[in-house]
Amino acid sequence: MTLKYEPVVTQSVAKQISEQIRRSITNGSLKADDKLPTEAELARQFNVSRPTIREALKRLAAKSLIRSRRGPTGGTFVRAPSMEDMSQDLISSVALMVSLGVFDLTEIAEARHELELACIRLAIKRRTGAETNRMAAEINLQKDQSLTDEEFCASDVRFHRALVDATHNPVMQFQMFTVIEALQPVENMVIFRFRQRKKIIEQHEKILHALLARDLARAEKAIDEQMVYLRESFSQAQEWRRKRDEAKRTASPT
Amino acid sequence: MTLKYEPVVTQSVAKQISEQIRRSITNGSLKADDKLPTEAELARQFNVSRPTIREALKRLAAKSLIRSRRGPTGGTFVRAPSMEDMSQDLISSVALMVSLGVFDLTEIAEARHELELACIRLAIKRRTGAETNRMAAEINLQKDQSLTDEEFCASDVRFHRALVDATHNPVMQFQMFTVIEALQPVENMVIFRFRQRKKIIEQHEKILHALLARDLARAEKAIDEQMVYLRESFSQAQEWRRKRDEAKRTASPT
DNA sequence: ATTTCAATATTTGTCAAGCAAATTAACGCA
DNA sequence: TGCGTTAATTTGCTTGACAAATATTGAAAT
């Protein structure tokens, strides 16, 4: 019997080094804005060559854990990852998963709906004029007929981000931004073809008014309505795509 | 007047290349398990040296977008990132942010509470025997007096993961696992000292029974109770820490 | 003819030394 | 004092080579 291929347990030296530095950051021995030794020095300390050190550092750079600058005052510095960085990272990752079909569109929509309900509950309690003003401004913008579809869609995203901000909970914001941004390409697909701006604006207004009145029941109802309409648009879009594919098949049968 | 330092807009060649390959994966020109050209070939195509190509590839490897193997049938392959990979990545990132104090503990707890409410709503509708059985098994385990604190805590996490699984929504699972796992170290801190297992088990049982009866109102109440108790434990822990620090200060004044 | 083992080819992993580019600090000069 | 120039330092990148892992091929032995 021949032995099957067993995945090698020994990781590359570069990976081990990057993990070690990563741990130093995680456990606090390396703090934000600390300067790492120069690459040459690291190479000496770890007893490896400089390219190997560089591979290790690039892994960390990919995760926004360090940043490098050239010059005498340059070097490699620990970078406290901001929420923005991580948000962007997460968004692009989730977007990739969506494009790979790991997540179903209806699943994303459902999750977004439930999470938005969670947000609105906090937002009702915590919202300030700053956020409701932003939302009102976006609604106003959306009423402008000369807006392109892209601009309208961007405004829609900003409206929902303002809603999330109204929770005044960074964890909530971090989680929701991903869902909102990851869903946007999908929404774009649908919005351009099947959704009526008037209806969307009406729903936005209902949400805003409920928020202004701090009326949870009305807000929840408005969010629910949104979901119903999104679902309708989805099935319309799917129907349309089905017909288009069928037409294509009859035109050129395999 | 001397010009301020302006961040260089030109990105490193390695970064550009990694971005280009990344785009190829995102837009579908490179699919999962596709083999990239050899490093030597890539170096020729991009007209750079092999170490530079390697730096670019390591950036992608850090994000679990590719994997490499040596040998004649080896090479670099596109890797469809699994939900597990991304979950792990996200968890460690959030854990880092927590340790850096980007998120407040009470904020995390609040978010977890609201998100768990969102989960329970779906779980009430979708749960199957598989999940409720897992939850029952964990409760049973938790009643074992000989369990260490660590084991009890791990079981607690598994209980809540089962709850999340009951939503049968991968997006929800992806989001929640992060919150659950990121909160765990914090919970550990508290659970070992101030939380009574009996009370936690009672709460778990309430949740399970509500889920079995598909009774949303009761489930929401159980989740709320959980939150109240967690908050109590937090303030107890903070009080304890305050006193300890004070004692330390009087013992050795600066 | 089949099995076993060793040589070989291929590809990633690592090393070595050095030049290029960016950036600051020190220095010389007006 | 103030301003341009040079030197020093550090990352970015190149070239060339060897090491290690792994599959294939071919030869020898049963």
Side-chain angles (χ1 to χ4, degrees):
Chain A
M1 152 192 169
T2 59
L3 280 177
K4 271 284 201 53
Y5 164 73
E6 270 185 55
V8 176
V9 281
T10 60
Q11 295 177 337
S12 72
V13 179
K15 184 159 192 177
Q16 288 176 46
I17 292 173
S18 83
E19 273 310 308
Q20 192 167 331
I21 296 177
R22 186 185 202 301
R23 270 196 297 278
S24 299
I25 296 175
T26 312
N27 71 21
S29 12
L30 281 172
K31 283 175 225 128
D33 295 329
D34 275 3
K35 184 178 180 304
L36 290 165
T38 66
E39 294 178 352
E41 176 62 17
L42 282 173
R44 201 187 56 74
Q45 284 181 19
F46 284 103
N47 210 29
V48 296
S49 69
R50 202 159 78 91
T52 304
I53 286 292
R54 284 182 63 77
E55 282 185 19
L57 292 180
K58 289 313 143 194
R59 283 172 180 274
L60 299 174
K63 290 183 183 161
S64 307
L65 256 64
I66 57 172
R67 80 191 131 77
S68 297
R69 251 194 5 244
R70 287 197 270 208
T73 61
T76 306
F77 298 87
V78 176
R79 173 176 173 187
S82 72
M83 221 177 83
E84 288 313 308
D85 293 330
M86 309 216 46
S87 246
Q88 271 316 112
D89 257 31
L90 182 55
I91 287 168
S92 68
S93 297
V94 171
L96 177 60
M97 285 207 284
V98 171
S99 77
L100 290 177
V102 176
F103 294 141
D104 197 319
L105 302 191
T106 55
E107 285 167 355
I108 302 175
E110 180 181 73
R112 176 176 177 171
H113 173 66
E114 294 297 339
L115 295 174
E116 201 157 48
L117 277 175
C119 283
I120 204 95
R121 224 174 328 201
L122 288 175
I124 288 281
K125 286 190 283 186
R126 304 255 180 84
R127 69 125 184 100
T128 68
E131 292 100 28
T132 49
N133 284 346
R134 275 165 62 199
M135 293 168 80
E138 295 300 337
I139 290 178
N140 233 20
L141 181 62
Q142 287 158 18
K143 283 177 180 164
D144 181 353
Q145 299 282 339
S146 68
L147 235 56
T148 65
D149 281 336
E150 284 85 353
E151 286 165 343
F152 185 87
C153 212
S155 170
D156 184 61
V157 167
R158 283 195 301 273
F159 176 87
H160 285 96
R161 283 184 82 124
L163 196 162
V164 174
D165 283 335
T167 64
H168 289 266
N169 183 315
V171 182
M172 235 31 183
Q173 291 164 6
F174 182 67
Q175 298 269 33
M176 280 303 293
F177 288 169
T178 335
V179 184
I180 293 177
E181 300 274 352
L183 188 54
Q184 187 182 15
V186 182
E187 274 199 7
N188 281 346
M189 242 172 50
V190 174
I191 213 167
F192 291 168
R193 219 172 266 275
F194 298 101
R195 296 180 93 188
Q196 295 167 21
R197 292 188 183 184
K198 190 162 146 266
K199 224 167 169 178
I200 295 173
I201 293 171
E202 272 171 26
Q203 291 170 349
H204 285 175
E205 279 173 335
K206 278 187 195 168
I207 294 173
L208 176 56
H209 292 154
L211 215 49
L212 284 169
R214 298 194 194 271
D215 184 337
L216 181 57
R218 248 168 71 201
E220 284 180 344
K221 203 174 141 220
I223 301 274
D224 282 341
E225 251 181 59
Q226 223 187 194
M227 175 66 171
V228 170
Y229 185 50
L230 185 61
R231 241 205 277 267
E232 271 175 30
S233 307
F234 271 169
S235 53
Q236 262 185 285
Q238 269 167 9
E239 178 71 8
W240 173 82
R241 202 181 309 173
R242 196 186 57 73
K243 277 188 182 160
R244 185 198 55 181
D245 290 352
E246 194 168 315
K248 207 182 279 174
R249 247 199 315 284
T250 54
S252 66
T254 51
Chain B
M1 156 192 166
T2 58
L3 279 176
K4 269 287 202 52
Y5 165 72
E6 269 184 57
V8 176
V9 280
T10 59
Q11 294 178 336
S12 75
V13 179
K15 185 160 191 175
Q16 287 176 46
I17 292 173
S18 81
E19 272 309 307
Q20 192 166 332
I21 296 176
R22 181 179 167 53
R23 269 197 298 279
S24 298
I25 296 175
T26 312
N27 71 23
S29 5
L30 281 172
K31 283 175 224 131
D33 295 328
D34 275 3
K35 183 177 179 303
L36 290 167
T38 65
E39 293 178 352
E41 176 62 16
L42 282 172
R44 202 187 55 73
Q45 283 180 20
F46 284 102
N47 210 29
V48 295
S49 68
R50 200 159 80 90
T52 302
I53 285 291
R54 283 182 64 77
E55 281 184 18
L57 292 180
K58 289 314 143 196
R59 290 182 114 96
L60 299 174
K63 290 183 185 162
S64 309
L65 257 67
I66 56 172
R67 78 192 132 76
S68 299
R69 247 191 11 241
R70 287 197 268 208
T73 61
T76 306
F77 299 86
V78 176
R79 173 176 173 186
S82 71
M83 221 178 83
E84 287 314 309
D85 293 330
M86 309 217 44
S87 246
Q88 271 316 112
D89 260 28
L90 183 55
I91 287 168
S92 67
S93 296
V94 172
L96 177 60
M97 286 207 284
V98 171
S99 78
L100 290 177
V102 176
F103 295 140
D104 196 316
L105 303 190
T106 55
E107 286 168 352
I108 301 175
E110 180 181 71
R112 176 176 178 173
H113 174 65
E114 294 297 337
L115 294 174
E116 200 157 51
L117 278 174
C119 283
I120 203 97
R121 225 174 328 203
L122 288 176
I124 289 281
K125 287 191 284 187
R126 305 254 179 83
R127 67 124 185 102
T128 69
E131 291 100 28
T132 49
N133 284 346
R134 274 166 60 199
M135 293 167 79
E138 294 300 338
I139 290 178
N140 233 22
L141 181 62
Q142 287 158 19
K143 283 176 178 164
D144 181 354
Q145 299 282 342
S146 68
L147 235 56
T148 66
D149 282 335
E150 284 85 354
E151 287 165 342
F152 185 86
C153 212
S155 170
D156 183 61
V157 167
R158 284 196 301 274
F159 176 87
H160 285 97
R161 284 185 82 126
L163 196 162
V164 174
D165 284 335
T167 64
H168 289 267
N169 183 315
V171 182
M172 227 46 177
Q173 290 165 7
F174 182 68
Q175 299 268 29
M176 280 304 292
F177 288 169
T178 336
V179 184
I180 293 177
E181 300 274 350
L183 188 54
Q184 189 183 14
V186 182
E187 272 200 7
N188 281 347
M189 242 173 48
V190 174
I191 213 167
F192 290 169
R193 218 172 268 275
F194 299 102
R195 296 179 94 188
Q196 295 166 23
R197 292 188 183 183
K198 190 162 147 263
K199 223 166 171 179
I200 294 173
I201 293 171
E202 273 171 26
Q203 290 170 350
H204 285 175
E205 279 173 335
K206 279 187 194 169
I207 294 174
L208 176 57
H209 291 152
L211 215 49
L212 284 169
R214 298 195 195 271
D215 184 337
L216 181 56
R218 247 169 69 202
E220 283 180 344
K221 202 173 142 225
I223 302 275
D224 281 341
E225 250 180 61
Q226 222 186 194
M227 175 65 172
V228 171
Y229 185 50
L230 184 60
R231 238 205 278 268
E232 270 174 31
S233 308
F234 269 170
S235 52
Q236 261 186 287
Q238 266 166 10
E239 177 72 8
W240 173 83
R241 201 182 308 174
R242 196 187 56 75
K243 275 187 182 161
R244 185 197 55 182
D245 289 352
E246 195 168 316
K248 207 181 281 177
R249 245 199 316 284
T250 53
S252 66
T254 50

